[in-house]
Amino acid sequence: MKKVLAGLVAAAALITPELAQAEKVVIACGSVGQEKELCTQGAQAWAKKSGHTVEIMSVPTDAGQQLAQFQQLLAAGSTDLDVVRIDVIWPGIVANYFIDLKPYFPEDVLKQHFQPIVKNNTVNGKLIAIPWFIEAGLLYYRKDLLEKHGQKPPTTWQELAQTAKTIVDAEKKAGNDKLVGFVFQGKSYEGLTCNALEWVDSFGGGTIVDPSGQVTINNPKAVEAIDFMASLVGNVVPKGVLSYEEEGARGAFQSGNAVFMRNWPYAWALANSKDSPIKGKVEVMALPKGGADGKATGALGGWQLGVSKFSAHPDVAADLVKYLAGPEEQKRRALVGAFNPTIMSLYKDEELLKANPFFGSLYDTFTNAVPRPTITGSKYNQVSTEFRNAVYSTLSGKGKAADNLKKVDAKLKSLGKNGKW
Ligand code: GLC
């Protein structure tokens, strides 16, 4: 018996050091489209390799609600979350809650990523997150319907409205009364800020607050852009859009009931997935210009991975970040989910270009995507909320853009210092 016990103790001693090292890492993965599934697969692959375990924290689909959830946990110093996904617009808001990742990521690794994003993730010299994927707003359209009705892909919003109307009217006559013209993210949340920034920028109306910190939203081009889009609601744009997030728009488009859709790149992989009713019938292009002298633009989106400063095992958490944001995993996510890599060399990868031809043809759209006005730092969220509420009111027929944007202008000036940022 003594011998057996001694043997057991010895065996335990052999096992224990390893067990003590195995940590559980909690990661918030995201939940739009395939986000959760792909991130879980990646995290589990890392767990298998490293001997650690992972737990996935569920988050709301609405980016603003996600921010609120993280802020609540982190403000309370919670150790329940180790790896946090960080929206491209958040570094100025959440920087204090994250460790500096520089010691874990040598210069040559960081150099592989899009440099503007690395810069965006560096707050007061601290690298708070590693780029994971980038996005830009894109226009999806049903190439089969455009061809059937002899229409060309639109280069301006005015053409888009016209083309949508022509197709919807003709289809209606033929008995297809479910089809609508154009869907986008019209709920009053961060997604609408992105859509409306694109409209304003495409009409030449600037970026709400300019890079020097001047509030610019109250200008004739911005007014024209928002009034124009509002004029489409109830016509080529169904009123239901005013409650759509990304997935609401994708649902309408993917079921075959919309001619045009504004969305992020992830919708490509799903639109062309095995059981998609519109598989092979979809094309992607840059968003239209606001008139002949406008510009083609797309809002810059995307997510980073950071390690909470309250994590009980930051080294292990940083290792998970290294794996998820590394080339192999970025390539897998791009192949399966059309998540745009932040590692530049992957844009030359033949396999990726074949799966997502628009990675190549719209490369400029991604590299020149228009950023939201994060010069407003920790107050970005308030700035965005003021702006999109005014847009939402205008889209819902509550006031004209001239009045609504004038109020935003005054509000943003009062939030900044001496009318400036
Ligand atoms: C996407 C973008 C993100 C943006 C959000 C708005 O997730 O990547 O930057 O804030 O959509 O809905």
Side-chain angles (χ1 to χ4, degrees), residues 260-296:
F260 294 105
M261 167 178 73
R262 183 272 179 207
N263 218 323
W264 306 106
Y266 84 95
W268 170 260
L270 291 166
N272 286 307
S273 60
K274 212 168 68 229
D275 325 310
S276 166
I278 55 167
K279 184 174 160 55
K281 298 178 176 165
V282 180
E283 200 51 80
V284 199
M285 65 188 282
L287 288 165
K289 301 178 193 174
D293 56 351
K295 87 184 238 229

Coordinates of all heavy atoms in Angstrom, one line a residue, residues 260-296:
F260 N -29.6 45.9 -54.2 CA -28.3 46.5 -53.7 C -28.3 46.4 -52.2 O -29.3 46.5 -51.5 CB -28.2 48.0 -54.0 CG -28.1 48.2 -55.5 CD1 -29.2 48.7 -56.2 CD2 -27.0 48.0 -56.2 CE1 -29.1 49.0 -57.6 CE2 -26.9 48.2 -57.6 CZ -28.0 48.8 -58.2
M261 N -27.1 46.2 -51.7 CA -26.8 46.2 -50.2 C -25.5 46.9 -49.9 O -24.5 46.6 -50.6 CB -26.8 44.8 -49.7 CG -26.3 44.7 -48.2 SD -26.3 43.1 -47.5 CE -24.9 42.3 -48.4
R262 N -25.5 47.7 -48.9 CA -24.2 48.2 -48.3 C -23.9 47.2 -47.1 O -24.7 47.0 -46.3 CB -24.4 49.6 -47.8 CG -23.0 50.2 -47.3 CD -22.9 50.0 -45.8 NE -21.6 50.5 -45.3 CZ -20.9 50.0 -44.3 NH1 -21.4 49.0 -43.7 NH2 -19.9 50.6 -43.9
N263 N -22.7 46.7 -47.2 CA -22.2 45.9 -46.0 C -20.7 45.8 -46.0 O -20.0 46.3 -46.9 CB -22.9 44.5 -46.0 CG -23.3 44.0 -44.6 OD1 -22.5 44.3 -43.7 ND2 -24.4 43.4 -44.5
W264 N -20.2 45.1 -45.0 CA -18.8 44.9 -44.9 C -18.4 43.6 -45.6 O -19.3 42.8 -46.0 CB -18.4 44.6 -43.4 CG -18.9 45.7 -42.5 CD1 -19.9 45.7 -41.6 CD2 -18.3 47.0 -42.3 NE1 -20.0 46.9 -40.9 CE2 -19.0 47.7 -41.3 CE3 -17.2 47.7 -42.9 CZ2 -18.7 49.0 -40.9 CZ3 -16.9 49.0 -42.5 CH2 -17.7 49.6 -41.6
P265 N -17.1 43.3 -45.8 CA -16.7 42.2 -46.6 C -17.2 40.8 -46.2 O -17.4 39.9 -47.0 CB -15.1 42.2 -46.5 CG -14.8 43.6 -46.2 CD -15.9 44.2 -45.4
Y266 N -17.5 40.6 -44.9 CA -17.9 39.3 -44.4 C -19.1 38.7 -45.2 O -19.3 37.5 -45.3 CB -18.2 39.3 -42.9 CG -19.6 39.7 -42.6 CD1 -20.6 38.8 -42.4 CD2 -19.9 41.1 -42.5 CE1 -21.9 39.2 -42.0 CE2 -21.2 41.5 -42.2 CZ -22.2 40.6 -42.0 OH -23.5 40.9 -41.7
A267 N -20.0 39.7 -45.7 CA -21.2 39.3 -46.3 C -20.9 38.5 -47.6 O -21.8 37.7 -48.1 CB -22.1 40.5 -46.6
W268 N -19.7 38.7 -48.2 CA -19.4 38.0 -49.4 C -19.3 36.5 -49.2 O -19.9 35.7 -50.0 CB -18.0 38.5 -49.9 CG -17.4 37.7 -51.0 CD1 -16.5 36.8 -51.0 CD2 -17.8 37.8 -52.4 NE1 -16.2 36.3 -52.2 CE2 -17.0 36.9 -53.1 CE3 -18.7 38.6 -53.2 CZ2 -17.1 36.7 -54.5 CZ3 -18.8 38.4 -54.5 CH2 -18.0 37.5 -55.2
A269 N -18.6 36.1 -48.2 CA -18.5 34.6 -48.0 C -19.8 34.0 -47.7 O -20.1 32.9 -48.2 CB -17.6 34.4 -46.8
L270 N -20.7 34.7 -47.0 CA -22.0 34.1 -46.7 C -22.9 34.1 -47.9 O -23.7 33.2 -48.1 CB -22.6 34.8 -45.5 CG -21.9 34.5 -44.2 CD1 -22.3 35.5 -43.1 CD2 -22.1 33.1 -43.7
A271 N -22.9 35.2 -48.7 CA -23.7 35.3 -49.9 C -23.4 34.2 -50.8 O -24.3 33.7 -51.6 CB -23.5 36.6 -50.5
N272 N -22.1 33.7 -50.8 CA -21.7 32.7 -51.7 C -21.6 31.3 -51.0 O -20.9 30.4 -51.6 CB -20.4 33.1 -52.4 CG -20.6 34.1 -53.4 OD1 -21.5 34.0 -54.3 ND2 -19.9 35.3 -53.3
S273 N -22.1 31.2 -49.9 CA -22.0 29.9 -49.2 C -22.9 28.9 -49.8 O -23.8 29.2 -50.6 CB -22.3 30.1 -47.7 OG -23.7 30.6 -47.6
K274 N -22.7 27.6 -49.4 CA -23.4 26.5 -50.1 C -24.9 26.7 -50.2 O -25.4 26.5 -51.3 CB -23.1 25.2 -49.3 CG -23.0 24.0 -50.1 CD -22.4 22.8 -49.4 CE -23.3 22.3 -48.4 NZ -22.9 22.0 -47.1
D275 N -25.6 27.0 -49.2 CA -27.1 27.1 -49.3 C -27.6 28.5 -49.6 O -28.8 28.7 -49.4 CB -27.7 26.6 -48.0 CG -27.0 25.5 -47.3 OD1 -26.7 24.5 -48.0 OD2 -26.8 25.6 -46.1
S276 N -26.7 29.4 -49.9 CA -27.2 30.7 -50.2 C -28.0 30.8 -51.5 O -27.6 30.4 -52.5 CB -26.1 31.7 -50.3 OG -26.5 32.9 -50.8
P277 N -29.3 31.3 -51.4 CA -30.1 31.4 -52.6 C -29.5 32.3 -53.7 O -29.9 32.3 -54.8 CB -31.4 32.0 -52.1 CG -31.4 32.0 -50.6 CD -29.9 31.8 -50.2
I278 N -28.5 33.2 -53.3 CA -28.0 34.1 -54.3 C -26.5 33.7 -54.6 O -25.8 34.5 -55.2 CB -28.0 35.6 -53.8 CG1 -27.3 35.7 -52.4 CG2 -29.5 36.1 -53.8 CD1 -27.1 37.2 -52.1
K279 N -26.1 32.5 -54.3 CA -24.8 32.1 -54.6 C -24.4 32.3 -56.1 O -25.2 31.9 -56.9 CB -24.7 30.6 -54.2 CG -23.3 30.0 -54.4 CD -23.4 28.5 -53.9 CE -22.3 27.6 -54.3 NZ -21.0 28.0 -54.2
G280 N -23.3 32.9 -56.3 CA -22.9 33.1 -57.7 C -23.6 34.2 -58.4 O -23.3 34.5 -59.6
K281 N -24.5 34.9 -57.8 CA -25.3 36.0 -58.5 C -24.9 37.3 -58.0 O -25.6 38.3 -58.2 CB -26.8 35.8 -58.2 CG -27.3 34.4 -58.8 CD -28.8 34.3 -58.4 CE -29.4 33.0 -59.1 NZ -30.7 32.7 -58.5
V282 N -23.8 37.4 -57.2 CA -23.5 38.6 -56.5 C -22.2 39.2 -57.0 O -21.3 38.5 -57.3 CB -23.4 38.4 -55.0 CG1 -23.1 39.6 -54.2 CG2 -24.7 37.7 -54.5
E283 N -22.1 40.5 -57.0 CA -20.9 41.2 -57.3 C -20.7 42.3 -56.3 O -21.6 42.7 -55.6 CB -21.0 41.8 -58.7 CG -19.7 42.2 -59.4 CD -18.7 41.0 -59.4 OE1 -18.9 40.1 -60.3 OE2 -17.8 41.1 -58.6
V284 N -19.4 42.7 -56.1 CA -19.1 43.7 -55.1 C -18.3 44.8 -55.8 O -17.5 44.6 -56.6 CB -18.1 43.2 -54.0 CG1 -18.1 44.1 -52.8 CG2 -18.4 41.8 -53.6
M285 N -18.6 46.0 -55.4 CA -17.9 47.2 -55.9 C -17.8 48.3 -54.9 O -18.3 48.2 -53.8 CB -18.6 47.7 -57.2 CG -19.9 48.3 -56.9 SD -20.8 48.7 -58.4 CE -20.0 50.3 -58.9
A286 N -17.0 49.3 -55.2 CA -16.9 50.4 -54.3 C -18.2 51.1 -54.2 O -19.0 51.1 -55.1 CB -15.8 51.4 -54.8
L287 N -18.5 51.8 -53.1 CA -19.8 52.5 -52.9 C -19.8 53.6 -53.9 O -18.8 54.2 -54.3 CB -19.8 53.0 -51.5 CG -20.1 52.0 -50.4 CD1 -19.8 52.6 -49.0 CD2 -21.5 51.5 -50.5
P288 N -21.0 54.0 -54.3 CA -21.2 55.1 -55.4 C -20.7 56.5 -54.9 O -20.6 56.7 -53.7 CB -22.7 55.1 -55.6 CG -23.2 53.9 -55.0 CD -22.3 53.5 -53.9
K289 N -20.5 57.3 -55.8 CA -20.2 58.7 -55.5 C -21.4 59.5 -55.3 O -22.5 59.2 -55.9 CB -19.4 59.4 -56.7 CG -18.1 58.7 -57.1 CD -17.6 59.5 -58.3 CE -16.5 58.7 -59.0 NZ -16.1 59.4 -60.2
G290 N -21.3 60.6 -54.6 CA -22.5 61.5 -54.5 C -22.5 62.5 -55.6 O -22.2 63.7 -55.5
G291 N -22.9 62.0 -56.8 CA -22.9 62.9 -58.0 C -21.6 62.8 -58.7 O -20.6 62.2 -58.2
A292 N -21.6 63.3 -60.0 CA -20.4 63.2 -60.9 C -19.2 63.7 -60.2 O -18.1 63.2 -60.5 CB -20.7 63.8 -62.2
D293 N -19.3 64.8 -59.4 CA -18.1 65.4 -58.8 C -17.8 64.9 -57.4 O -17.0 65.4 -56.7 CB -18.1 66.9 -58.9 CG -19.4 67.4 -58.2 OD1 -20.3 66.6 -57.8 OD2 -19.5 68.6 -57.9
G294 N -18.6 63.8 -57.0 CA -18.4 63.3 -55.7 C -17.2 62.3 -55.7 O -16.5 62.2 -56.6
K295 N -17.1 61.5 -54.6 CA -16.0 60.6 -54.5 C -16.5 59.2 -54.0 O -17.4 59.1 -53.2 CB -14.9 61.1 -53.6 CG -15.0 60.9 -52.1 CD -13.9 61.6 -51.4 CE -13.0 60.6 -50.6 NZ -12.8 61.0 -49.2
A296 N -15.8 58.2 -54.5 CA -16.1 56.8 -54.1 C -15.4 56.6 -52.8 O -14.2 56.8 -52.7 CB -15.6 55.8 -55.1

